[in-house]
Structure formats: C-alpha cells, structure tokens
Amino acid sequence: MAGNSQRRGAVRKTGSKKGAVVGSGGKRRRGLEGRGATPPAEMRTKHPAAKRAAAKAKATQTRSPGRGAAGRPAGRKTDDGPELVLGRNPVVECLRAGVPATALYVAVGTENDDRLTESVRIAADAGISILEVPRTDLDRMSANGLHQGVALQVPPYRYVHPDDLLDRARGSAQPALLVALDNISDPRNLGAVVRSVAAFGGHGVLIPQRRSASVTAVAWRTSAGAAARLPVARATNLTRTLKDWAAQGVQVVGLDAGGDTTLDDFDGREPTVIVVGSEGKGLSRLVRESCDAILSIPMAGPVESLNASVAAGVVLSEVARQRRA
C-alpha cells in the first residue's frame, strides 16, 4: 500500500529527508542574521542600472577588454587606448586623487575589504560605472594577472598644443612661467613637477612626444589631482618648440649642476621656461644648446645633484618669491 512504512522492506532511515532530525543545523539562526548593506545598483547584475552602466562602459572603450587592436594585452598602456590601473592600493589611491576614470571592474566573488569598499563608494559618488566581471576577464585584461580582483579604467590624457599652452601663459596676469622636461622617463617625476608648477603659480608643463614619461594614472596620482587643473603640452620636437618660444620673447633656462649662472643671480621675473633634465643623463645636447642660460642650484652639503622634480621645485619657489617681491 502506498505510503505504508510498515510494509516489508520499507525502512525509514534516520536523518533522511522524510525523517525528523534533532535541531535545524543553524538554519533558523542564519536566517535571522543580517545580510549587510545592499550593494549599489550598478553591481547587481540583473538591475537595469547595471545594464546601463555596462553599456556605457562598452561605449567608452576603444578596444575590447581582452586584447588590443594589435593583439597586445589591454592591461598594457598604449598611446591611443585607455589605461588599466590594477590592484587595490593603486585603484583606491587613484580614486582619492580624482583621476577621471570611466569604469571600475570588480571580479565576481572577490573578498571585500576596506579598500574595495572605499573604491566602490568613491566610484559610485563620482558616477563611474561599476562592473562585476568574471575573474578570468580580469586575468586577460592584465598582463600578469596581479589585479587582486579590481581594476580601474582611465581614458587617455588630453594634451594641449604647445602654441596654445604659450598663448594661455601669455594671456595671464603674471609673466609666463613654464617648465619643460627633457629625458624624464619616470611618471612619478612628471606628476611631482606638475604639482610643483601648480603650487608656485606656473602656467603649464611641456614634454616631448617620444622618449618621455606621459600623463598616466601614476602621474595623476603623484600630482595629487593637479593634473586636472594644469595643462600639459606634448611637443613633436622639443628643441624646435623651445626655439620658437625663445623667438617670441621667452627666456629659456636649463638646469644643470655645472651651469654658468647660479640661482642666486637668476632673475625670474621675465617670461621664463625652465628646462629640467634627468638626474642621470641631464639635458640632451641640442636642448642644452637651445637654452639662453644654464642655471645651477648652490649646494650647502656634499650632494652632487638633486632629483629632477626636487630641483624644479626649488627653482619655482625662488621664481615665485621674486615675483611676490
């Protein structure tokens, strides 16, 4: 007879689905526990806001997330495409500095911590698209897979033309004060110089198009957001641009430890462009020949040279002091 557990061979096992067991295994207790804060709408894959964010991020991408147009991993920086910042510390630092990101990628199942929570909060407040993607997608987007479950997409920086940079400087109330970088390959030095120029009333920075650091997310982060307020120009030929500026009445001053003029004798109240070379290579020959004067910083201690960004900050501080006086 159906349902008759007393028939021969019908034995109800203890602990089976039909049999009652002692206790609930914590099921009721877990059901009463809170589930935490509700994730942002952009992180809920079925929510319309998440679909809109995904469509927006896809529209802003110039390449597919996995591979570049030439078959290169998209995690590597190219001149035309967006840049990916990988890792929890770099991502949260970029977001704190106000880097103009377009998308924040979070791998599905990533363990949460304070850095990830802050990154998501800042991105949501800034209107940056927050996308949950499979971890395998982030592996393909990064060159080495060391993304810690999070990546930030930063669009290419928009440089101004050198002529426009000089026109802006000459149109200001103060005499033009510009900084040109020669042989500077570290983006941290570039970011620090941008920050110093902004702090001491400079009007912009000029960098070469080739063999030079560019305004990447690292430079953005080092500048502490100053790159958003200060224009940066990129010259096809740095030597020719400096000669053109000199012909328009701007004194071109190079920095070198063996200069013919010291900072104590320098007059920075005229329109000036300060050319800074690297600590190791210094100024290239053609750029050095294009300078009206080579300036050196007097040293009180047994130090041969200063870091490029530090030297630029010292000279900019002195120029700002002269112009205040």
Side-chain angles (χ1 to χ4, degrees), residues 60-325:
T60 58
Q61 286 182 330
T62 58
R63 288 180 171 84
S64 63
R67 306 293 291 183
R72 296 181 297 270
R76 298 179 184 176
K77 180 70 175 66
T78 60
D79 291 338
D80 301 326
E83 178 188 3
L84 281 177
V85 181
L86 306 173
R88 302 196 179 195
N89 281 333
V91 166
V92 72
E93 288 175 6
C94 285
L95 290 170
R96 288 171 183 169
V99 174
T102 54
L104 175 65
Y105 294 98
V106 181
V108 176
T110 299
E111 184 178 355
N112 197 7
D113 63 1
D114 293 340
R115 295 168 297 175
L116 182 57
T117 300
E118 184 179 358
S119 298
V120 172
R121 177 183 58 79
I122 296 176
D125 293 341
I128 300 172
S129 301
I130 304 173
L131 306 175
E132 262 195 318
V133 297
R135 182 169 290 271
T136 53
D137 285 0
L138 278 186
D139 292 339
R140 289 194 299 268
M141 294 163 70
S142 59
N144 51 17
L146 300 178
H147 47 72
Q148 297 177 314
V150 62
L152 187 69
Q153 180 178 280
V154 180
Y157 181 80
R158 294 184 179 180
Y159 298 93
V160 300
H161 194 275
D163 294 342
D164 296 333
L165 178 60
L166 182 59
D167 290 340
R168 291 186 189 184
R170 298 174 69 178
S172 62
Q174 292 288 334
L177 179 58
L178 302 165
V179 172
L181 301 182
D182 182 31
N183 290 324
I184 302 297
S185 57
D186 190 344
R188 290 182 292 269
N189 274 336
L190 172 59
V193 169
V194 170
R195 187 175 183 177
S196 296
V197 173
F200 293 112
H203 300 102
V205 176
L206 175 69
I207 61 174
Q209 187 170 358
R210 297 182 180 179
R211 295 184 293 276
S212 171
S214 56
V215 184
T216 61
V218 175
W220 267 96
R221 189 169 73 244
T222 310
S223 72
R229 303 183 299 271
L230 193 79
V232 178
R234 192 158 58 173
T236 305
N237 188 309
L238 181 61
T239 303
R240 184 168 61 240
T241 300
L242 293 176
K243 289 182 178 179
D244 291 342
W245 285 4
Q248 299 183 53
V250 180
Q251 64 171 344
V252 182
V253 180
L255 294 187
D256 192 275
D260 50 18
T261 305
T262 63
L263 185 59
D264 297 336
D265 302 326
F266 173 64
D267 185 2
R269 292 172 292 181
E270 302 178 10
T272 303
V273 53
I274 302 168
V275 187
V276 183
S278 66
E279 184 178 355
K281 297 180 180 179
L283 298 173
S284 59
R285 181 182 60 83
L286 293 178
V287 170
R288 188 184 182 95
E289 293 174 355
S290 303
C291 295
D292 300 319
I294 303 298
L295 185 67
S296 63
I297 300 174
M299 300 289 185
V303 178
E304 294 182 0
S305 62
L306 296 174
N307 175 269
S309 60
V310 174
V314 171
V315 177
L316 288 168
S317 176
E318 172 61 19
V319 172
R321 185 196 65 80
Q322 293 180 10
R323 294 187 176 189
R324 285 195 305 269

